[in-house]
Amino acid sequence: MGRGGSRASPAAAAPPWHALPDEVWEHAFSFLPADSDRGAAAASCRSWLRAERRSRRRLAVANCYAASPQDAVDRFPSVRAVEVKGKPHFADFGLVPPAWGAAAAPWVEAAADGWPLLEELSFKRMVVTDDCLEIIAASFRNFQVLRLVSCEGFSTAGLSAIASGCRNLRELDLQENEIEDCSIQWLNLFPESFTSLVTLNFSCLEGDVNITVLDRLVTRCHNLKTLKLNNAIPLDKLANLLRKAPQIVELGTGKFSADYHLDLFLKLESAFSGCKSLRRLSGAWDAVPEYLPAFYCVCEGLTSLNLSYATVRGPELIKFIGRCKNLQLLWVMDLIEDRGLAVVASSCNKLQELRVFPSAPFDAAEQVSLTERGLVDVSASCPMLESVLYFCRRMTNEALITIAKNRPNFTCFRLCILEPHTPDYITHQPLDVGFSAIVESCKGLRRLSVSGLLTDNVFKSIGAHADRLEMLSIAFAGNSDLGLHYILSGCKSLKKLEIRDCPFGDKPLLANAAKLETMRSLWMSSCSLTLGACRQLARKMPRLSVEVMNYSRGACPLDSLTDESPIETIYVYRTIAGPRSDTPACVQIV
Amino acid sequence: MELELALAPPNAHRPVISHLADELSSSSSDSSSRGKRGFGEAFQDATLPLFDDGSSCGGNKKPLVGWPPVSSARSRARGGGCAAANYVKVKKEGDAIGRKVDLSLHASYDDLLATLGRMFPTTSNQDDNNETGSSTSHLVVTYEDGEGDWMLVGDVPWDDFARSVKRLKILG
C-alpha cells in the first residue's frame, strides 16, 4: 500500500512475533518431526524452551543414565511416547558384565507417577522386571504400545499382566529378549472382548504357546497387521493362522522345518496366496528348500525379507530371492554366497539395505563361498543401496574402492572381516586405502564399522573426511595413540565411539577430553589405558561419568590401585544426573 | 582363569619378569612392590606360550570374547540349528515295524504330535481340515525316560523331555 519501495509497517494492534502466546509456538513446533529440530528450537530462547517442552509428545532417551527419570518427567510433562535405551551396544556381544545396570524400574515408576496418559513405552537393552510390566499394566489407562528390544529380567508372568491389564493395547513387540518361561499361558489372558491388536511379535519366546488361543486371538483382531510367531508354531498351524488373517502385512514364520509333504506344501501355498497385503517376511527357517516355492505368490509384493536365521541354501534359496523384485531390505546368511548375491544384484534393483550374517562365525575353516565379490556386485547394480552390514573372510582395497565409487550414497557401512588383522588378501597390504575411499566418497556416512588389518592412516582419513559420521566401531586396528587422536580431534558429528583391542592409550583421551562431552558415549575395552588417566579425565570433566570395569578380576576397590594400574574397560558418557548409584561390584565410577 | 606358564612381552605399564621362579615363589601378591606382580596380574593378558609346540599359535587360538560381533540371540539360535540329530525310535502298539523321529527338528510337543500324526495316520486323524488344531491330541504317546520308566508325554518342559527321552510308544 502506498508508495512503491516502502515496506508496509505492521498494524499497531498485532503483537510482534516474539511475543506470540505459547499456544501458537506449540502448534508451530508440532510440525517439527525430528527431536533434534525441536531441541534446537528449545535452545533459542526461554519462551520457546517453555513452549516446546510443554508440548513435547515423543521423547527418546538414548542413554538411560544421561538424565534421571524425574528430570525427564519434570521437563516434558505432556509426553505420550517414550523410548529409553540402556546398556552400551557391545552388551550384545557379551562384553558388558552381567548386572551392569540399566534397570527400567526407575523409569517405569517415574512414568507411572508423572505421565498417566502415556501411550507408548519402548525399552532397549534394559532390565525389565515382571514388576515393571505389572506397573505398566496398572498405571496407564490408554496404554497402546509396548516394545521391548534386547531386554531381560521378565517372564511370561509379566506378559500375563500386560495381556490382562492393557485394554487398549495395539502393539506388543518383543524383539530378541531373554524371557523366562513360567509356563503361564499368557496369551489366554487377553480377554475375549479384546480386539485392538495390530502388532503381535513373540518370536523370541522360547516356550510353548496355546495354539487354539492364538488362533482365536488372531481371528478376532481384525486389524492385525504384524504377526511374528515363535519356534513353537509348526508349519501346518501357520497355514491355519494365515487363513484367519489374510490382511497381514508383516509375518514372522515360526519353525519352518518339517519333512516335505505335498499336502502340507499345498496347504501353505493356498494360505499364502490369500495374503495379498503381505510385504514383510521373516522367521526362524530351518527350512527345507522344497517348501520355498509355497511363497512364490507373495514374492512380488515383498519389500522386506529377513532370512538371517535361515539355514537353507542352494538353488532353491537363490530362485526364491530372485523372484522378490521389489525388495528394499534383505537380511540373509552368507549361505547365499557370491552367486546368490549376483542374482540379488540383477533382480533386486530397489534394494536399500543389505545384511549378510555369518553362518559359522566361530569356525575358522572356510566353508562358504562368500567374498568381496558379492558386495561389489550388489553395490554396482543397486542404485538405492545405502545401508550395509557384511560379514566375510576376505577383502581387497580394490574392491572397497570400487564399492565407494559406485555407492557414494552409503549412510551406513559396516564391514566385519571375521579374522582380526586380515590384510588385503591379494596385496597383503592394510585395508587403509579401501576404507579411506569409503569415507571420502560417502559424504553422508552416519555409521561405520571397520575391520581387517588397519594402521593409524585409516583413522587420519576418517577423522578428516567423515563429517557426518555419528557412530564408529573399531576392533583390532591401529598402531598407536595417533589413531585415536585422529578420530577424537576430527569426526565433527561423532556421537558414539566403541573400541576394543586397539593399542590406544591415555594421551589421546586426555588431549581430547572436551570432545567427549559433545558425544553421547565412548567405550574402550582391551586397549592400553591406565587408572591415572581415568582419574584425570573424571577430574577435568565433571559432566562426564567415567565408569571403569575390571570384571575379570572381580571386585576391584579402585582406591587401593595406583595410577599406573591398567584398566580393562572404560565406558564414558555425558550426564546431567551425576554418578549413578546402582553399579555392581565390578563397575566403579571414578 | 587358566594356569599357564608364560612370558609376557615388555610393556610400558608393567615391569618385565626376569625370573619366573621368583614370581611363583612369592605367594603373597604384593602388587605395590615394583618388579614383581601379583598372581592375578601376571596371567591377565595375552602372553606368549613358554612351551611352543606350535599348537597355540595360528590354528587353535583361544576364542575371543564377543568376536565376531554376532549378537547372543543369533548365537543361541544358531546353536539350536546346528544341534546334532536326536533320533528316537517310535513304535505303535500292534505295529510290527517301528519308525524313527528326529527330535532336534522339533521345538514343542505340538510339533512332535503333528509329526507323529503324519507318521502314524489313523482314520480319525486323517481329517486335515480340523482347524482347532487338536486333530492329533487323541494320540496317546508315552516315552521311556532315562531311568527306564514309561511316562506319559507332555508333563515336563520340552527341553527336559528331549534330553531324557529314550524311545516313544504310541498306545493303540
Side-chain angles (χ1 to χ4, degrees):
Chain A
M1 58 191 170
R3 285 179 285 257
S6 70
R7 291 170 70 183
S9 45
W17 64 268
H18 53 81
L20 289 170
D22 281 358
E23 292 73 33
V24 176
W25 293 121
E26 289 177 21
H27 185 65
F29 295 148
S30 67
F31 293 102
L32 294 174
D35 282 352
S36 50
D37 291 334
R38 292 190 70 117
S44 322
C45 64
R46 276 213 184 84
S47 60
W48 280 26
L49 173 67
R50 192 179 56 233
E52 194 282 315
R53 71 175 190 83
R54 287 206 301 227
S55 61
R56 178 86 76 106
R57 285 279 190 265
R58 307 194 70 88
L59 184 64
V61 181
N63 175 2
C64 65
Y65 290 119
S68 76
Q70 202 52 50
D71 285 340
V73 168
D74 289 342
R75 178 158 164 150
F76 302 106
S78 311
V79 155
R80 297 274 191 273
V82 182
E83 177 192 15
V84 188
K85 296 186 187 174
K87 299 182 199 176
H89 175 231
F90 275 177
D92 287 354
F93 317 128
L95 290 175
V96 173
W100 175 82
W107 289 91
V108 171
E109 282 153 18
D113 216 28
W115 291 322
L117 298 178
L118 193 70
E119 296 170 359
E120 292 185 27
L121 198 45
S122 176
F123 287 120
K124 183 169 182 178
R125 290 197 199 98
M126 294 186 72
V127 177
V128 179
T129 59
D130 285 342
D131 271 349
C132 291
L133 297 179
E134 278 162 35
I135 295 175
I136 291 170
S139 309
F140 310 113
R141 58 181 163 82
N142 196 26
F143 195 70
Q144 297 174 27
V145 174
L146 179 65
R147 187 171 305 115
L148 300 176
V149 180
S150 302
C151 294
E152 52 173 349
F154 62 103
S155 74
T156 46
L159 295 180
S160 313
I162 297 290
S164 56
C166 301
R167 296 298 148 120
N168 296 315
L169 196 69
R170 277 189 300 113
E171 293 184 31
L172 179 59
D173 190 0
L174 306 170
Q175 298 177 30
E176 309 216 334
N177 303 291
E178 271 190 51
I179 308 176
E180 198 193 317
D181 182 19
C182 293
S183 298
I184 292 179
Q185 292 299 329
W186 59 282
L187 267 186
N188 296 25
L189 290 166
F190 283 112
E192 282 302 315
S193 55
F194 173 78
T195 59
S196 50
L197 216 51
V198 174
T199 293
L200 178 61
N201 174 7
F202 59 95
S203 49
C204 58
L205 209 64
E206 300 206 332
D208 278 343
V209 148
N210 186 322
I211 294 180
T212 314
V213 170
L214 176 62
D215 192 283
R216 278 209 299 272
L217 183 63
V218 166
T219 307
R220 67 180 186 272
C221 293
H222 301 290
N223 288 323
L224 193 68
K225 296 281 190 299
T226 295
L227 178 63
K228 294 171 113 170
L229 309 170
N230 73 347
N231 255 339
I233 316 285
L235 275 184
D236 59 341
K237 301 298 188 287
L238 170 67
N240 294 342
L241 286 169
L242 283 177
R243 283 216 212 91
K244 302 296 175 61
Q247 77 282 4
I248 211 99
V249 173
E250 178 166 11
L251 175 70
T253 69
K255 195 168 175 67
F256 207 80
S257 64
D259 300 331
Y260 180 81
H261 290 271
L262 182 62
D263 53 345
L264 186 47
F265 175 90
L266 293 173
K267 194 175 170 189
L268 279 170
E269 194 183 43
S270 156
F272 275 104
S273 66
C275 297
K276 306 267 186 252
S277 307
L278 190 59
R279 297 286 169 268
R280 299 191 287 275
L281 189 58
S282 62
W285 301 39
D286 307 324
V288 190
E290 288 78 19
Y291 278 120
L292 288 182
F295 289 88
Y296 282 178
C297 47
V298 299
C299 285
E300 191 82 24
L302 287 184
T303 57
S304 166
L305 181 59
N306 179 354
L307 292 170
S308 62
Y309 287 95
T311 50
V312 67
R313 60 197 298 178
E316 283 302 315
L317 170 66
I318 297 177
K319 241 193 306 187
F320 173 63
I321 294 183
R323 286 170 163 253
C324 301
K325 308 240 181 269
N326 289 305
L327 275 190
Q328 294 169 16
L329 179 147
L330 175 63
W331 291 17
V332 76
M333 291 266 234
D334 58 5
L335 301 169
I336 194 175
E337 297 188 323
D338 287 341
R339 59 193 174 121
L341 286 178
V343 171
V344 170
S346 58
S347 313
C348 309
N349 300 115
K350 303 196 184 154
L351 199 65
Q352 295 171 21
E353 176 175 330
L354 173 69
R355 294 194 192 187
V356 180
F357 293 92
S359 54
F362 308 109
D363 189 348
E366 187 169 329
Q367 298 165 337
V368 152
S369 179
L370 180 95
T371 69
E372 77 281 7
R373 180 89 249 134
L375 186 56
V376 170
D377 284 345
V378 176
S379 55
S381 307
C382 300
M384 289 155 58
L385 187 69
E386 57 173 47
S387 175
V388 166
L389 169 62
Y390 201 77
F391 284 82
C392 61
R393 292 188 187 276
R394 66 181 209 194
M395 186 54 59
T396 63
N397 281 311
E398 192 186 331
L400 285 171
I401 291 170
T402 306
I403 291 166
K405 205 160 45 153
N406 282 328
R407 287 281 66 78
N409 50 324
F410 275 141
T411 54
C412 169
F413 188 76
R414 294 191 283 161
L415 179 66
C416 180
I417 302 170
L418 290 167
E419 187 64 34
H421 309 298
T422 303
D424 178 321
Y425 76 94
I426 293 180
T427 65
H428 304 294
Q429 293 299 303
L431 291 171
D432 296 342
V433 172
F435 277 105
S436 299
I438 295 283
V439 293
E440 283 165 35
S441 167
C442 306
K443 310 251 185 275
L445 197 66
R446 289 200 295 271
R447 186 167 179 185
L448 176 66
S449 297
V450 298
S451 58
L453 182 66
L454 295 167
T455 71
D456 291 340
N457 288 332
V458 73
F459 299 116
K460 192 170 181 191
S461 300
I462 296 175
H465 291 109
D467 287 340
R468 303 258 189 89
L469 193 66
E470 296 176 3
M471 183 167 176
L472 177 60
S473 308
I474 308 173
F476 304 100
N479 25 25
S480 79
D481 285 349
L482 265 183
L484 181 57
H485 179 68
Y486 286 138
I487 297 296
L488 290 178
S489 57
C491 294
K492 296 184 200 147
S493 309
L494 196 62
K495 288 199 185 133
K496 290 204 293 191
L497 179 58
E498 46 184 29
I499 302 174
R500 62 165 293 174
D501 293 276
C502 296
F504 300 149
D506 300 335
K507 288 207 211 73
L509 200 62
L510 292 172
N512 294 284
K515 170 79 169 181
L516 297 182
E517 218 179 84
T518 68
M519 290 165 51
R520 189 184 302 160
S521 66
L522 166 70
W523 168 283
M524 285 178 71
S525 57
S526 304
C527 297
S528 306
L529 297 173
T530 64
L531 184 54
C534 300
R535 286 174 172 150
Q536 256 188 289
L537 182 64
R539 262 197 311 269
K540 206 168 161 181
M541 310 290 301
R543 282 188 299 221
L544 290 182
S545 189
V546 180
E547 295 195 7
V548 161
M549 304 180 223
N550 265 11
Y551 43 91
S552 56
R553 291 204 265 164
C556 51
L558 288 186
D559 300 336
S560 64
L561 296 178
T562 64
D563 280 354
E564 289 78 29
S565 307
I567 290 299
E568 174 67 31
T569 300
I570 62 163
Y571 182 51
V572 181
Y573 51 89
R574 63 182 174 193
T575 177
I576 58 171
R580 63 184 176 112
S581 52
D582 60 350
T583 51
C586 56
V587 176
Q588 283 171 66
I589 302 185
V590 176
Chain B
M1 187 171 26
E2 285 181 46
L3 177 60
E4 253 177 274
L5 293 181
L7 294 171
N11 185 296
H13 303 300
R14 284 172 224 100
V16 177
I17 303 178
S18 44
H19 297 288
L20 204 60
D22 284 349
E23 189 63 47
L24 295 175
S25 62
S26 65
S27 49
S28 64
S29 29
D30 182 7
S31 51
S32 60
S33 70
R34 311 215 95 236
K36 285 187 180 174
R37 296 176 296 158
F39 188 90
E41 272 182 292
F43 301 123
Q44 186 191 2
D45 292 324
T47 51
L48 297 173
L50 190 56
F51 302 108
D52 186 3
D53 57 357
S55 64
S56 43
C57 299
N60 296 342
K61 282 202 270 272
K62 261 204 302 242
L64 293 161
V65 176
W67 190 266
V70 172
S71 77
S72 40
R74 289 192 182 277
S75 312
R76 269 203 310 274
R78 203 182 326 276
C82 298
N86 183 12
Y87 281 101
V88 293
K89 292 184 193 168
V90 190
K91 200 125 183 281
K92 178 131 187 259
E93 258 189 6
D95 285 357
I97 307 285
R99 301 286 307 268
K100 265 199 167 174
V101 66
D102 182 356
L103 288 181
S104 72
L105 288 183
H106 301 80
S108 70
Y109 287 115
D110 273 337
D111 236 351
L112 177 63
L113 290 176
T115 299
L116 293 179
R118 269 197 300 277
M119 280 184 167
F120 299 92
T122 65
T123 47
S124 46
N125 67 2
Q126 251 164 1
D127 179 6
D128 212 35
N129 291 327
N130 186 338
E131 307 218 314
T132 62
S134 58
S135 56
T136 53
S137 61
H138 46 263
L139 267 185
V140 180
V141 187
T142 59
Y143 72 103
E144 185 182 16
D145 73 4
E147 292 164 13
D149 298 325
W150 283 93
M151 317 288 291
L152 193 64
V153 146
D155 287 333
V156 299
W158 170 262
D159 286 334
D160 295 346
F161 164 77
R163 267 194 296 274
S164 64
V165 59
K166 294 283 171 284
R167 50 195 168 126
L168 299 168
K169 182 154 62 180
I170 302 177
L171 303 181

